[in-house]
Amino acid sequence: MSEAEAVAGSPPRRSRRKRLILGAVGVAVAVGTFAYVLPQIAAYQDVWQVVKGLSWGSVVALLAATALNLATFAPPWMAALPGLGFPQALAMTQASTAVSIVFPGGAAVGMASSYAMLRSWDFPGSAVARAVTLTGIWNQFANLAFPIVAVFVLAVNGGRNPLLTTAAFVGAGVLAVAITGLALVLSSAGLARDLGDAAARALGWVLARLRRGPVGWSGESFVSFRRDSLELLSRRWHVLTLATLAGHLTVFLLLVLSLRALDVPASQISLDEAFAAWALVRILGAIPLTPGGVGFVELGLTGALVGFGGANATVVAAVLVYRFLTVVPTLVLGLGAAFAWKRLHPPEAPDTGSL
């Protein structure tokens, strides 16, 4: 093999090696969390005794909340992509979320899956790219805003959490920059082009340091996004916002119901403390360290709730039930949707122009 061939072949080998290393780290974190750390907090036999005490009424309430949460996956995409029906949106979101849980890369892999599925249903590429971008931005806005709200609520009620305060401080800065950038992009085509070119240069510089290829977009991509997004957002920003909040807050509802059903009363973990722990873990879960945040989410949520005063065994039981209900149904439905998505083609060509 020549030196040139060796150099050309090294990036793929490095990429494969990096994926293997990240995968091994993810497995180690998950195994360490469930095999060692959680049993140190509460023995699994004690946790199982708590779970066995669930009443039928609590089981029904948890299942109903799970169904409600699953149903909220679709509306943000229906708002961002006119012409997308509920069955298609639900199938697509379940499949893409399942992919983001199973494979390293998290949200990026899920977004790529969403794009591929929607394009296969003959939605125009520009409309799909707009929907993927807007739903992604709105979700990140929500994740960054929740810790800020949680710190405020805790402060009003006399509580404090240094880690949450730090996360809120960082989140506020990132959120302010992101909202300002979005406002500038939408306000002027010239600004959109300039910001896009600057962002492409900055990201290209970073990729060059990592020996990756150049970015495949420029300021003109931002101009196209602005043009495609302005009319839709002018009519549907409130629908997109409310649908996104509903999707996130039904997940929080599941956590609260899990805590109360498994004997973690408000005297141990108040509603604002549960919200603070959940908001902090939403930030952790967004970092693609392990598929679906497995290990990190369980450990972070358990540590925060126990730190607020929850009993060890009941908190671990509630966290495990909560994680089961937010992960396993989506994995099952997502697998089924992945097999059925070719049959879910919209009955008519989608009309992405009518808002």
CSV table of all heavy atoms in Angstrom, one decimal, residues 167-209:
chain,number,residue,atom,x,y,z
A,167,ALA,N,-26.2,24.7,35.6
A,167,ALA,CA,-26.8,24.2,34.3
A,167,ALA,C,-27.7,25.3,33.8
A,167,ALA,O,-27.8,25.6,32.6
A,167,ALA,CB,-27.6,22.9,34.5
A,168,ALA,N,-28.5,26.0,34.7
A,168,ALA,CA,-29.4,27.0,34.3
A,168,ALA,C,-28.6,28.2,33.8
A,168,ALA,O,-29.0,28.9,32.8
A,168,ALA,CB,-30.3,27.4,35.5
A,169,PHE,N,-27.5,28.6,34.4
A,169,PHE,CA,-26.7,29.7,34.0
A,169,PHE,C,-26.1,29.5,32.6
A,169,PHE,O,-26.2,30.3,31.7
A,169,PHE,CB,-25.5,29.9,35.0
A,169,PHE,CG,-24.6,31.0,34.6
A,169,PHE,CD1,-25.0,32.4,34.9
A,169,PHE,CD2,-23.4,30.8,34.0
A,169,PHE,CE1,-24.1,33.4,34.5
A,169,PHE,CE2,-22.5,31.8,33.7
A,169,PHE,CZ,-22.9,33.2,33.9
A,170,VAL,N,-25.6,28.3,32.4
A,170,VAL,CA,-25.1,27.9,31.1
A,170,VAL,C,-26.2,27.9,30.0
A,170,VAL,O,-26.1,28.4,28.9
A,170,VAL,CB,-24.3,26.6,31.1
A,170,VAL,CG1,-23.9,26.1,29.7
A,170,VAL,CG2,-23.1,26.7,32.0
A,171,GLY,N,-27.3,27.3,30.4
A,171,GLY,CA,-28.5,27.2,29.5
A,171,GLY,C,-29.0,28.5,29.2
A,171,GLY,O,-29.4,28.7,28.0
A,172,ALA,N,-29.0,29.5,30.1
A,172,ALA,CA,-29.5,30.8,29.8
A,172,ALA,C,-28.6,31.5,28.8
A,172,ALA,O,-29.1,32.1,27.8
A,172,ALA,CB,-29.6,31.6,31.1
A,173,GLY,N,-27.3,31.3,28.9
A,173,GLY,CA,-26.4,31.9,27.9
A,173,GLY,C,-26.6,31.3,26.6
A,173,GLY,O,-26.7,32.1,25.6
A,174,VAL,N,-26.6,30.0,26.5
A,174,VAL,CA,-26.8,29.3,25.2
A,174,VAL,C,-28.1,29.7,24.6
A,174,VAL,O,-28.2,29.9,23.4
A,174,VAL,CB,-26.6,27.8,25.4
A,174,VAL,CG1,-26.9,27.1,24.1
A,174,VAL,CG2,-25.2,27.4,25.9
A,175,LEU,N,-29.2,29.7,25.4
A,175,LEU,CA,-30.5,30.0,24.9
A,175,LEU,C,-30.6,31.4,24.4
A,175,LEU,O,-31.2,31.7,23.3
A,175,LEU,CB,-31.6,29.8,26.0
A,175,LEU,CG,-33.0,30.0,25.7
A,175,LEU,CD1,-33.4,29.0,24.6
A,175,LEU,CD2,-33.9,29.9,26.9
A,176,ALA,N,-30.0,32.4,25.1
A,176,ALA,CA,-30.0,33.8,24.6
A,176,ALA,C,-29.2,33.9,23.3
A,176,ALA,O,-29.7,34.6,22.3
A,176,ALA,CB,-29.3,34.7,25.6
A,177,VAL,N,-28.1,33.2,23.1
A,177,VAL,CA,-27.4,33.3,21.9
A,177,VAL,C,-28.2,32.6,20.8
A,177,VAL,O,-28.3,33.1,19.6
A,177,VAL,CB,-26.0,32.5,22.0
A,177,VAL,CG1,-25.3,32.4,20.7
A,177,VAL,CG2,-25.1,33.3,23.0
A,178,ALA,N,-28.8,31.5,21.1
A,178,ALA,CA,-29.6,30.7,20.0
A,178,ALA,C,-30.8,31.5,19.6
A,178,ALA,O,-31.0,31.6,18.4
A,178,ALA,CB,-30.0,29.4,20.6
A,179,ILE,N,-31.5,32.1,20.5
A,179,ILE,CA,-32.7,32.9,20.1
A,179,ILE,C,-32.3,34.2,19.4
A,179,ILE,O,-32.9,34.5,18.4
A,179,ILE,CB,-33.5,33.3,21.4
A,179,ILE,CG1,-34.1,32.1,22.0
A,179,ILE,CG2,-34.5,34.3,21.1
A,179,ILE,CD1,-34.9,32.3,23.3
A,180,THR,N,-31.2,34.8,19.8
A,180,THR,CA,-30.7,36.0,19.1
A,180,THR,C,-30.3,35.6,17.7
A,180,THR,O,-30.6,36.3,16.7
A,180,THR,CB,-29.5,36.6,19.8
A,180,THR,OG1,-29.9,37.0,21.1
A,180,THR,CG2,-29.0,37.8,19.1
A,181,GLY,N,-29.6,34.5,17.5
A,181,GLY,CA,-29.1,34.0,16.2
A,181,GLY,C,-30.3,33.7,15.3
A,181,GLY,O,-30.3,34.1,14.1
A,182,LEU,N,-31.3,33.1,15.9
A,182,LEU,CA,-32.5,32.7,15.1
A,182,LEU,C,-33.2,34.0,14.6
A,182,LEU,O,-33.7,34.1,13.5
A,182,LEU,CB,-33.5,31.8,15.9
A,182,LEU,CG,-34.8,31.4,15.1
A,182,LEU,CD1,-34.4,30.6,13.9
A,182,LEU,CD2,-35.6,30.6,16.1
A,183,ALA,N,-33.4,35.0,15.6
A,183,ALA,CA,-34.0,36.2,15.3
A,183,ALA,C,-33.3,37.0,14.2
A,183,ALA,O,-33.9,37.6,13.3
A,183,ALA,CB,-34.1,37.1,16.5
A,184,LEU,N,-32.0,37.0,14.2
A,184,LEU,CA,-31.2,37.7,13.2
A,184,LEU,C,-31.3,37.0,11.8
A,184,LEU,O,-31.5,37.7,10.8
A,184,LEU,CB,-29.7,37.7,13.6
A,184,LEU,CG,-29.4,38.6,14.8
A,184,LEU,CD1,-27.9,38.5,15.2
A,184,LEU,CD2,-29.6,40.1,14.4
A,185,VAL,N,-31.3,35.7,11.8
A,185,VAL,CA,-31.5,34.9,10.6
A,185,VAL,C,-32.8,35.2,10.0
A,185,VAL,O,-32.9,35.4,8.7
A,185,VAL,CB,-31.3,33.4,10.8
A,185,VAL,CG1,-31.8,32.6,9.6
A,185,VAL,CG2,-29.8,33.1,11.1
A,186,LEU,N,-33.9,35.3,10.8
A,186,LEU,CA,-35.2,35.5,10.2
A,186,LEU,C,-35.5,37.0,9.9
A,186,LEU,O,-36.4,37.3,9.1
A,186,LEU,CB,-36.3,35.0,11.3
A,186,LEU,CG,-36.3,33.5,11.5
A,186,LEU,CD1,-37.3,33.2,12.6
A,186,LEU,CD2,-36.5,32.7,10.3
A,187,SER,N,-34.7,37.9,10.5
A,187,SER,CA,-35.0,39.3,10.3
A,187,SER,C,-34.5,39.9,8.9
A,187,SER,O,-35.1,40.8,8.4
A,187,SER,CB,-34.4,40.1,11.4
A,187,SER,OG,-33.0,40.1,11.4
A,188,SER,N,-33.4,39.3,8.4
A,188,SER,CA,-32.9,39.8,7.2
A,188,SER,C,-32.2,38.8,6.4
A,188,SER,O,-31.4,38.0,6.9
A,188,SER,CB,-31.9,41.0,7.5
A,188,SER,OG,-31.0,41.3,6.5
A,189,ALA,N,-32.4,38.8,5.1
A,189,ALA,CA,-31.7,37.8,4.2
A,189,ALA,C,-30.2,38.1,4.2
A,189,ALA,O,-29.4,37.1,4.2
A,189,ALA,CB,-32.3,37.9,2.8
A,190,GLY,N,-29.8,39.3,4.2
A,190,GLY,CA,-28.4,39.6,4.3
A,190,GLY,C,-27.7,39.1,5.5
A,190,GLY,O,-26.6,38.5,5.5
A,191,LEU,N,-28.4,39.4,6.7
A,191,LEU,CA,-27.8,38.9,7.9
A,191,LEU,C,-27.8,37.3,8.0
A,191,LEU,O,-26.8,36.7,8.5
A,191,LEU,CB,-28.7,39.4,9.1
A,191,LEU,CG,-28.4,40.8,9.6
A,191,LEU,CD1,-29.4,41.2,10.6
A,191,LEU,CD2,-27.0,40.9,10.1
A,192,ALA,N,-28.8,36.7,7.4
A,192,ALA,CA,-28.9,35.3,7.3
A,192,ALA,C,-27.7,34.7,6.5
A,192,ALA,O,-27.0,33.8,6.9
A,192,ALA,CB,-30.2,34.8,6.7
A,193,ARG,N,-27.4,35.4,5.4
A,193,ARG,CA,-26.3,35.0,4.6
A,193,ARG,C,-24.9,35.1,5.3
A,193,ARG,O,-24.1,34.3,5.3
A,193,ARG,CB,-26.3,35.7,3.3
A,193,ARG,CG,-25.2,35.3,2.3
A,193,ARG,CD,-25.2,36.1,1.0
A,193,ARG,NE,-26.5,35.8,0.2
A,193,ARG,CZ,-27.5,36.6,0.2
A,193,ARG,NH1,-27.5,37.8,0.8
A,193,ARG,NH2,-28.6,36.3,-0.5
A,194,ASP,N,-24.8,36.3,6.0
A,194,ASP,CA,-23.5,36.6,6.7
A,194,ASP,C,-23.3,35.6,7.8
A,194,ASP,O,-22.2,35.1,8.0
A,194,ASP,CB,-23.5,38.0,7.2
A,194,ASP,CG,-23.4,39.0,6.0
A,194,ASP,OD1,-23.1,38.6,4.9
A,194,ASP,OD2,-23.8,40.2,6.3
A,195,LEU,N,-24.4,35.4,8.6
A,195,LEU,CA,-24.2,34.4,9.7
A,195,LEU,C,-24.0,33.0,9.3
A,195,LEU,O,-23.2,32.3,9.9
A,195,LEU,CB,-25.5,34.5,10.6
A,195,LEU,CG,-25.7,35.7,11.5
A,195,LEU,CD1,-27.1,35.7,12.1
A,195,LEU,CD2,-24.7,35.7,12.6
A,196,GLY,N,-24.6,32.6,8.2
A,196,GLY,CA,-24.4,31.3,7.6
A,196,GLY,C,-23.0,31.1,7.1
A,196,GLY,O,-22.4,30.1,7.4
A,197,ASP,N,-22.5,32.1,6.4
A,197,ASP,CA,-21.1,32.0,6.0
A,197,ASP,C,-20.1,32.0,7.1
A,197,ASP,O,-19.1,31.2,7.1
A,197,ASP,CB,-20.7,33.2,5.1
A,197,ASP,CG,-21.4,33.2,3.7
A,197,ASP,OD1,-21.7,32.0,3.3
A,197,ASP,OD2,-21.6,34.2,3.1
A,198,ALA,N,-20.4,32.8,8.2
A,198,ALA,CA,-19.5,32.8,9.4
A,198,ALA,C,-19.5,31.4,10.1
A,198,ALA,O,-18.5,30.9,10.5
A,198,ALA,CB,-19.9,33.9,10.3
A,199,ALA,N,-20.8,30.9,10.2
A,199,ALA,CA,-20.9,29.6,10.9
A,199,ALA,C,-20.2,28.5,10.1
A,199,ALA,O,-19.6,27.6,10.6
A,199,ALA,CB,-22.4,29.3,11.1
A,200,ALA,N,-20.4,28.5,8.7
A,200,ALA,CA,-19.7,27.5,7.9
A,200,ALA,C,-18.2,27.6,8.0
A,200,ALA,O,-17.5,26.6,8.1
A,200,ALA,CB,-20.2,27.7,6.4
A,201,ARG,N,-17.7,28.8,8.0
A,201,ARG,CA,-16.2,29.0,8.2
A,201,ARG,C,-15.7,28.4,9.5
A,201,ARG,O,-14.7,27.7,9.6
A,201,ARG,CB,-15.8,30.4,8.0
A,201,ARG,CG,-15.8,30.9,6.6
A,201,ARG,CD,-15.1,32.3,6.5
A,201,ARG,NE,-15.7,33.3,7.3
A,201,ARG,CZ,-16.7,34.1,6.8
A,201,ARG,NH1,-17.2,34.0,5.6
A,201,ARG,NH2,-17.2,35.0,7.6
A,202,ALA,N,-16.5,28.8,10.6
A,202,ALA,CA,-16.1,28.3,11.9
A,202,ALA,C,-16.1,26.8,12.0
A,202,ALA,O,-15.2,26.1,12.5
A,202,ALA,CB,-17.0,29.0,13.0
A,203,LEU,N,-17.2,26.2,11.6
A,203,LEU,CA,-17.4,24.8,11.6
A,203,LEU,C,-16.4,24.1,10.7
A,203,LEU,O,-15.8,23.0,11.0
A,203,LEU,CB,-18.8,24.3,11.3
A,203,LEU,CG,-19.1,22.8,11.4
A,203,LEU,CD1,-18.8,22.3,12.8
A,203,LEU,CD2,-20.6,22.6,11.0
A,204,GLY,N,-16.1,24.7,9.6
A,204,GLY,CA,-15.1,24.1,8.6
A,204,GLY,C,-13.7,24.1,9.3
A,204,GLY,O,-13.0,23.1,9.1
A,205,TRP,N,-13.4,25.2,10.0
A,205,TRP,CA,-12.1,25.2,10.7
A,205,TRP,C,-12.0,24.1,11.7
A,205,TRP,O,-11.0,23.4,11.8
A,205,TRP,CB,-11.9,26.5,11.4
A,205,TRP,CG,-10.6,26.7,12.0
A,205,TRP,CD1,-9.4,27.2,11.5
A,205,TRP,CD2,-10.3,26.4,13.4
A,205,TRP,NE1,-8.4,27.2,12.4
A,205,TRP,CE2,-8.9,26.7,13.6
A,205,TRP,CE3,-11.0,26.0,14.5
A,205,TRP,CZ2,-8.3,26.6,14.8
A,205,TRP,CZ3,-10.4,25.8,15.7
A,205,TRP,CH2,-9.0,26.1,15.9
A,206,VAL,N,-13.1,23.9,12.5
A,206,VAL,CA,-13.1,22.8,13.5
A,206,VAL,C,-13.0,21.4,12.8
A,206,VAL,O,-12.2,20.6,13.3
A,206,VAL,CB,-14.4,22.9,14.3
A,206,VAL,CG1,-14.5,21.6,15.3
A,206,VAL,CG2,-14.4,24.1,15.2
A,207,LEU,N,-13.7,21.2,11.8
A,207,LEU,CA,-13.6,19.9,11.1
A,207,LEU,C,-12.3,19.7,10.5
A,207,LEU,O,-11.8,18.6,10.4
A,207,LEU,CB,-14.7,19.9,10.0
A,207,LEU,CG,-16.2,19.8,10.4
A,207,LEU,CD1,-17.1,19.9,9.2
A,207,LEU,CD2,-16.4,18.6,11.2
A,208,ALA,N,-11.6,20.8,10.0
A,208,ALA,CA,-10.3,20.6,9.4
A,208,ALA,C,-9.3,20.2,10.5
A,208,ALA,O,-8.4,19.3,10.3
A,208,ALA,CB,-9.8,21.9,8.8
A,209,ARG,N,-9.5,20.7,11.7
A,209,ARG,CA,-8.6,20.3,12.8
A,209,ARG,C,-8.8,18.8,13.2
A,209,ARG,O,-7.9,18.1,13.7
A,209,ARG,CB,-8.9,21.1,14.1
A,209,ARG,CG,-8.7,22.6,13.9
A,209,ARG,CD,-7.2,23.1,13.8
A,209,ARG,NE,-6.7,22.9,12.5
A,209,ARG,CZ,-6.9,23.7,11.4
A,209,ARG,NH1,-7.8,24.7,11.5
A,209,ARG,NH2,-6.3,23.4,10.3
